[in-house]
Amino acid sequence: MRTYLLAAALLAALLSSGFSSVTSAAASPLQNLSDADIGEALAAHNAVRQRVAQAESQRLGSPVVIPDLTWNSDLATYAQEWADQLLSSDPDPDPDRRTFPHHDWGELQALGRGENIYAGWSDGGVPDQSPTAAVTWWDSEQQYYDYDTNTCAADQTCGHFTQLVWSTTTQVGCGQAVRTAAYGTQFVVWVCNYAPAGNIIGERPYDVMTVAQPDVEQQVVDLVNSERQRKFGIDKRDTLPRYCRACEVQHLCHGECPKHRFILTPDGEPGLNYLCPAYRRFFTHVDPAMRAMAELLRNGRPAADIRRRPGAAMS
């Protein structure tokens, strides 16, 4: 048994809901794809789209988003009619002369639709008629596409693949036709139409998302000016006990963090910071040096000059 495959490309959408069997010169009426066929077609398309999105996100170092396609019955009907037309008569017995042309280019442009076509045949036995076979064939063109230069390798085709993963394409509909020619060869044709169409000249099939870097400085400003932060500061000030408010270093420690204020003041008032003795000792000790550095700064000198003043250095 010999099996042959042919893929023809333009622009496109996804899979369709039509199956027709054409035996010899007689065409059978249009039949809808089963729910299982539609599900397989969508799953095959979306599996490729998500695989490429994940791989390219890792390769390019930024997110690449290629949304899943949804089924469109109008596109499916359009694709089915064309699949039936392509196999309405026996293809040429000579494989080198067989053609499976697209819809008129101007018509596709006017409708804003893309189109992928797949044809397979076998001289003995039945060729793979599944939508997965068609999508796999289109997907195989990825090896010829260079995203960085947005070009296809010389003498190769990659337009089926780029339509397959075009990120702004959101809908697909496909049709399938089969035929046994008078000379015994069995044929299968898949047509998928896509909307909005991909393969727009000068554009890539997907873009790398720009991840905005957070403005840390602005975040701090927003935090300081937030209503919640202001309330925290006011509460911290207004809940100080009288003992703290009369303290000579209160302007330096401000009672420290409220979560540490859980002991009583010497006169029995609650709300004293349990670290109060340590803070009081520390700030009292550094006070002379801090005042000296402030004076240096007021006089336009660096605070580090304190180390040159006898008796001003801290021990």
Side-chain angles (χ1 to χ4, degrees):
M1 179 183 78
R2 290 185 296 170
T3 300
Y4 306 84
L5 299 173
L6 174 67
L10 260 180
L11 306 175
L14 242 152
L15 304 174
S16 113
S17 64
F19 171 88
S20 89
S21 174
V22 186
T23 303
S24 192
S28 65
L30 179 70
Q31 299 177 19
N32 289 333
L33 293 176
S34 68
D35 290 343
D37 293 329
I38 294 173
E40 180 181 345
L42 279 174
H45 276 77
N46 291 332
V48 172
R49 291 167 71 88
Q50 294 313 309
R51 186 203 73 223
V52 170
Q54 293 174 14
E56 288 292 82
S57 294
Q58 293 182 347
R59 185 181 74 85
L60 298 170
S62 293
V64 171
V65 178
I66 307 178
D68 284 349
L69 297 172
T70 58
W71 191 260
N72 183 298
S73 58
D74 290 338
L75 291 174
T77 299
Y78 185 74
Q80 183 61 57
E81 291 172 349
W82 193 245
D84 289 339
Q85 175 66 27
L86 292 176
L87 286 187
S88 61
S89 60
D90 288 351
D92 196 298
D94 183 353
D96 293 334
R97 296 169 57 185
R98 289 173 188 159
T99 60
F100 299 89
H102 285 276
H103 277 97
D104 177 75
W105 172 240
E107 179 180 315
L108 287 170
Q109 277 193 311
L111 294 172
R113 294 175 178 178
E115 184 167 275
N116 276 353
I117 295 178
Y118 163 90
W121 57 84
S122 175
D123 289 335
V126 180
D128 190 341
Q129 299 178 358
S130 69
T132 300
V135 173
T136 299
W137 184 260
W138 299 329
D139 180 34
S140 69
E141 295 177 1
Q142 182 180 12
Q143 61 188 308
Y144 306 123
Y145 176 66
D146 187 329
Y147 178 86
D148 297 331
T149 60
N150 196 29
T151 58
C152 196
D155 302 320
Q156 298 294 340
T157 299
C158 54
H160 301 91
F161 168 72
T162 51
Q163 173 60 84
L164 189 61
V165 297
W166 203 269
S167 63
T168 57
T169 294
T170 59
Q171 296 180 313
V172 64
C174 301
Q176 182 221 52
V178 297
R179 182 184 184 93
T180 300
Y183 46 84
T185 300
Q186 297 190 60
F187 292 85
V188 58
V189 166
W190 276 95
V191 178
C192 286
N193 287 106
Y194 305 82
N199 290 345
I200 299 172
I201 296 175
E203 296 187 11
R204 285 177 166 80
Y206 44 84
D207 293 320
V208 178
M209 295 179 62
T210 301
V211 180
Q213 298 300 317
D215 186 338
V216 177
E217 182 176 347
Q218 186 60 47
Q219 289 178 346
V220 172
V221 171
D222 293 342
L223 174 63
V224 170
N225 292 329
S226 67
E227 182 62 33
R228 184 176 181 181
Q229 182 65 23
R230 284 198 295 270
K231 183 178 186 302
F232 174 81
I234 292 171
D235 290 346
K236 179 179 178 180
R237 178 197 64 194
D238 292 348
T239 56
L240 282 174
R242 289 186 300 273
Y243 179 80
C244 288
R245 296 177 189 178
C247 178
E248 64 276 11
V249 299
Q250 186 271 332
H251 66 288
L252 298 174
C253 80
H254 298 283
E256 210 259 333
C257 185
K259 70 179 180 180
H260 296 147
R261 301 177 187 174
F262 52 79
I263 63 175
L264 299 178
T265 65
D267 55 4
E269 186 179 3
L272 181 64
N273 194 305
Y274 84 105
L275 297 173
C276 176
Y279 277 121
R280 196 168 199 168
R281 181 175 180 181
F282 171 77
F283 286 122
T284 300
H285 175 70
V286 302
D287 182 66
M290 297 296 290
R291 292 180 183 278
M293 287 190 288
E295 183 65 22
L296 287 170
L297 291 172
R298 281 193 290 268
N299 292 327
R301 296 172 58 188
D305 280 359
I306 190 174
R307 293 175 295 181
R308 302 175 184 175
R309 297 179 57 183
M314 292 183 292
S315 58

